[in-house]
Amino acid sequence: MKRNWLAVCLVFSVVSAVLFYAGTSSADTLAVNSAEQTYRLAENAMFYLRVLKSDGTASSTGTGIILSSGGTAATAYHVVKGAERMEGIMADGTVISPIKVAKYDELKDVAVLALPDPAAMKVKGNAYSYLNVRKDAVKHGEAVFALGYPLKNTNIITEGIVNSPDAEINGRSRILASAQVASGMSGGPLMDAHGRLAGIISGSLRTMNNIHLIISTEDLLSLLPAVLK
């Protein structure tokens, strides 16, 4: 009887260990998203960004990324350098204005933006859709997606890989990626295959065809308030 009881306990322990291992393994495994899934995640968390002249016409355009439900956002600094008035146009046509530069680093080419209160903009649910920022560095060969607005009413997605996670370009560190980038996508998100913001589009390299410059999330996080880090 005693041996039977010990056998039952042993089986129970083994089964419990297997279930625990399986549960831990699945919880720690990040889902891999397709390009379509990545686009759906990012579509409502980015916007067409217009820097306006005094007459209301655009002096420059780019893309912005929303990072919190309350309206913290980011873009490439060169898009908003010297801007006095800015507005954003969401995928559904909603105009977000006024947008302010809250903090920036010209060398890193990063600007943190403050959007108006979502309730005042009548955003659905009184909260902006936003992207989660990746904390760890990207790796050589990792699959990535670039998104942005080359045209006012046209946001696009392209696919590529990380060519280099840490290249020194003009005295500053940059990610190099092969996901195609067009004019107007500056400030847009580089997404990893797990649905996280992995960088911000900065520009292109004239010396390398189809290789593009990406601002790291490390540079972005250095400017964000502690609550978003």
Side-chain angles (χ1 to χ4, degrees):
M1 186 70 170
K2 187 174 182 181
R3 288 181 180 178
N4 290 340
W5 174 249
L6 289 173
V8 170
C9 290
L10 179 61
V11 170
F12 178 78
S13 298
V14 171
V15 171
S16 297
V18 170
L19 290 174
F20 174 79
Y21 177 80
T24 302
S25 178
S26 60
D28 292 343
T29 302
L30 295 172
V32 176
N33 296 323
S34 66
E36 181 181 1
Q37 291 168 320
T38 301
Y39 176 81
R40 288 177 180 173
L41 282 171
E43 178 184 15
N44 296 317
M46 63 180 184
F47 53 90
Y48 178 67
L49 180 59
R50 301 176 75 228
V51 176
L52 303 173
K53 300 177 184 176
S54 57
D55 63 1
T57 59
S59 60
S60 67
T61 62
T63 303
I65 310 162
I66 304 176
L67 305 176
S68 77
S69 60
T72 300
T75 191
Y77 175 68
H78 74 264
V79 175
V80 298
K81 183 177 181 179
E84 296 183 2
R85 295 175 57 210
M86 291 180 289
E87 68 178 16
I89 302 174
M90 305 296 292
D92 64 1
T94 300
V95 177
I96 305 297
S97 179
I99 295 174
K100 303 293 184 183
V101 175
K103 203 170 183 180
Y104 68 89
D105 187 314
E106 185 168 7
L107 180 62
K108 294 176 179 177
D109 195 28
V110 185
V112 175
L113 308 176
L115 307 186
D117 182 85
M121 294 291 100
K122 298 181 180 179
V123 174
K124 185 178 179 180
N126 293 332
Y128 291 107
S129 297
Y130 63 93
L131 296 177
N132 292 315
V133 180
R134 174 171 168 160
K135 305 299 192 300
D136 57 312
V138 294
K139 299 176 178 63
H140 279 97
E142 188 173 341
V144 285
F145 304 91
L147 298 98
Y149 280 89
L151 299 171
K152 177 181 176 181
N153 298 313
T154 305
N155 50 22
I156 69 170
I157 181 169
T158 64
E159 185 174 6
I161 62 169
V162 173
N163 303 107
S164 173
D166 185 17
E168 186 174 332
I169 308 294
N170 297 326
R172 58 188 178 185
S173 175
R174 283 287 179 264
I175 297 168
L176 301 183
S178 64
Q180 287 299 297
V181 170
S183 177
M185 293 175 71
S186 289
L190 186 81
M191 302 285 289
D192 69 13
H194 307 299
R196 301 171 299 180
L197 179 68
I200 298 175
I201 298 166
S202 180
S204 299
L205 271 174
R206 295 179 181 177
T207 55
M208 296 185 194
N209 290 333
N210 302 320
I211 303 295
H212 307 284
L213 302 170
I214 309 297
I215 303 156
S216 70
T217 54
E218 180 182 2
D219 284 345
L220 170 62
L221 288 167
S222 70
L223 294 182
L224 290 178
V227 69
L228 295 180
K229 294 182 180 180

